[in-house]
Amino acid sequence: MNFDLLIRNASIVDGSGAPRFNGDIGIRGDRIDRIGDLAASSGEVEIDLAGRIAAPGFIDAHTHDDRLMLSGPDMAPKVSQGVTTVIAGNCGISLAPMPRAIPQPVTPPLNLLDDQGGWFRFPTFAAYVEELRGKPAATNCALLVGHTTLRVAILDDLERPASAAQIVRMRALVSEALEAGAIGVSTGLFYEPAIAAPTEEVIETCRPLKDVDGLYCTHMRDEADGVIDSLTETFRIGREVGVAVVISHLKVVGEANRGRSAEALSFIEKNMATQSICMDCYPYTAGSTVLSADRAASSSRVIVSWSKALPEYAGQDLDAIARKMGVSEEEAIRRLLPAGGIYFRLDESDVQRILRHGKTMIGSDGLPHDASPHPRLWGAFPRVLGHYCRELGLFSLETSVHKMTGLTARNFGLRDRGVVKEGAYADLTLFDADKVDEAATYAAPIAPARGIDAVIVNGAVVWRDGRPTGARPGRVLARLT
Ligand code: ZN
Ligand code: CU
């Protein structure tokens, strides 16, 4: 038999969590055609893995890649670590729709996607999807529409709840987005432009999700002292709208809340008995978002990831910048704004407890447009495989892979993805389990992972020998449950 692509001598970790097995993988077109002993067959292109791992392509459960897919379609930060599908539009922030000229200056945190505003140029969600389809990226994507984007599009005063009439308009934009292919709505109730939104505003805006079984994904209002109240609010929204919820980057923030991941997880488990809930996590004790004095005050260390006012300070520690300027940290922040920060304010044992939980997916939460980004942008997945799986033994390789593939595909409704089986899409990551690791660090955050041999999306090789191949076979995926 002849295949388009034949992967020989693979140790197959199939994404289900089942033990690995040896075999060859024959690919025809965009699908896995055969798995087994294919010694008698040949391939147009052949890759001999000599016992190294073939796994489903990783699905990044939490990204802000809405614009990167258009402005950096090789998707190097993602495919270099084995990611073949990204969930974009998280934390209330989506690039579309923007039915009016985006107010200037771009409201944080929307400026994480583009601080100039020119990319917020899609009046409808359909226009954005059409551009993604016309100029595909190297990875697949599934898209969320952001509640904060809708607020910025419709409200003139973000410090107030939306009026009944404004909710009707936001709801119409949600319907349009879902029709155009979005799989859910995200909120960022934690962030300034959405804090004034009461729970009822979110519920009423999200109503159209019910008919299409869309997802409600949330960067919760409070991940610190009020984490249980925020979980309660999230579950209420899921129940009242009648849809599954995704808790984005589950964490417990701040010194005073150390250890409370146990309480949060048991509260989540209790509620899982009566409604559909899942969560993702990034494998680091530092988070990253727009720079603010509040967030800096609750962190043990802050690195400035970008500054529009003073770009030369990107990559430096805030306390060192303040010393150089001869001012307080608050004053330094004022001078740097608009800017981004990397905040060290999570406890390692909480991060590990959340990562270890059987229902936790891996998401990078990488910020692709930061000058000196958090290393999770390039390193989240290999860090789980290298540091947490191989070095610390937090879980098996099969479980690690499941958390980034099969589990994620099931939760997001990405049919025939996230598994290596005959008939599934040929999204594959080929890697060396002994070598795979992050190369990105806080000091040098832009670096491709080690140990990734090749990455395949819809049957096309997109990354090989440490560089992008130029192939851009990515598709906009629907949610099919
Ligand atoms: Zn977030
Ligand atoms: Cu995020």
Side-chain angles (χ1 to χ4, degrees), residues 24-334:
D24 310 316
I25 302 171
I27 294 163
R28 277 218 182 88
D30 61 1
R31 302 266 184 168
I32 296 171
D33 191 59
R34 284 292 160 81
I35 298 172
D37 181 354
L38 304 174
S41 303
S42 64
E44 207 72 44
V45 177
E46 298 198 1
I47 298 176
D48 191 337
L49 278 182
R52 293 192 301 280
I53 306 291
F58 307 149
I59 301 168
D60 191 340
H62 188 106
T63 84
H64 296 283
D65 292 342
D66 305 44
R67 170 188 149 196
L68 185 69
M69 288 187 278
L70 297 172
S71 66
D74 283 342
M75 297 291 285
K78 294 304 166 76
V79 296
S80 61
Q81 49 180 318
V83 170
T84 58
T85 297
V86 300
I87 312 295
N90 278 286
C91 298
I93 309 164
S94 61
L95 198 58
M98 191 52 64
R100 62 171 170 180
I102 191 166
Q104 290 287 343
V106 178
T107 313
L110 261 49
N111 59 354
L112 293 175
L113 293 185
D114 174 20
D115 64 11
Q116 307 288 317
W119 282 96
F120 288 91
R121 60 180 163 79
F122 302 101
T124 61
F125 209 84
Y128 173 56
V129 171
E130 194 183 317
E131 185 142 327
L132 279 175
R133 292 210 167 106
K135 298 175 187 160
T139 61
N140 302 308
C141 65
L143 306 171
L144 304 168
V145 58
H147 168 250
T148 296
T149 296
L150 301 181
R151 289 193 116 233
V152 169
I154 299 297
L155 276 64
D156 288 314
D157 183 354
L158 294 166
E159 285 173 23
R160 303 171 65 136
S163 67
Q166 289 167 329
I167 289 175
V168 168
R169 294 175 64 198
M170 293 201 290
R171 195 190 297 150
L173 294 177
V174 169
S175 291
E176 189 272 329
L178 295 172
E179 248 162 67
I183 65 160
V185 172
S186 76
T187 58
L189 301 175
F190 166 78
Y191 288 110
E192 288 76 359
I195 286 173
T199 312
E200 292 73 19
E201 173 185 320
V202 177
I203 292 169
E204 294 309 321
T205 302
C206 286
R207 289 283 181 209
L209 288 174
K210 166 83 174 158
D211 283 345
V212 298
D213 190 25
L215 285 169
Y216 173 68
C217 306
T218 182
H219 181 157
M220 297 191 300
R221 213 176 271 283
D222 186 345
E223 296 171 318
D225 301 0
V227 65
I228 299 295
D229 289 345
S230 286
L231 287 167
T232 302
E233 179 184 38
T234 302
F235 302 155
R236 180 186 158 203
I237 294 166
R239 280 196 315 274
E240 293 207 14
V241 179
V243 294
V245 301
V246 179
I247 303 158
S248 295
H249 43 58
L250 177 64
K251 57 170 110 59
V252 287
V253 171
E255 194 74 41
N257 297 303
R258 285 199 170 197
R260 290 189 68 203
S261 57
E263 183 190 346
L265 285 169
S266 72
F267 188 66
I268 291 167
E269 278 170 15
K270 198 179 103 200
N271 283 274
M272 277 174 168
T274 55
Q275 68 185 104
S276 181
I277 301 165
C278 60
M279 62 262 191
D280 61 73
C281 180
Y282 52 74
Y284 299 86
T285 56
S288 183
T289 183
V290 282
L291 190 62
S292 84
D294 278 6
R295 286 186 277 274
S298 63
S299 305
S300 61
R301 178 187 173 196
V302 179
I303 305 170
V304 172
S305 53
W306 60 278
S307 163
K308 194 171 174 186
L310 299 166
E312 62 274 24
Y313 287 113
Q316 300 187 30
D317 277 50
L318 178 64
D319 61 356
I321 296 171
R323 264 199 314 276
K324 269 181 223 165
M325 289 178 172
V327 300
S328 67
E329 292 190 12
E330 296 77 59
E331 175 58 19
I333 290 172
R334 211 190 51 73

Side-chain angles (χ1 to χ4, degrees), residues 382-397 400 431-438 450:
R383 177 171 169 81
V384 169
L385 296 169
H387 181 62
Y388 285 112
C389 170
R390 186 180 61 239
E391 287 167 15
L392 299 188
L394 215 56
F395 26 55
S396 67
L397 182 64
S400 314
F431 66 95
D432 186 335
D434 298 327
K435 290 202 184 116
V436 65
D437 213 343
E438 61 184 337
R450 283 189 276 270

Side-chain angles (χ1 to χ4, degrees), residues 398-410:
E398 286 82 352
T399 297
S400 314
V401 168
H402 178 59
K403 286 172 168 295
M404 32 183 96
T405 60
L407 179 65
T408 320
R410 193 170 69 215

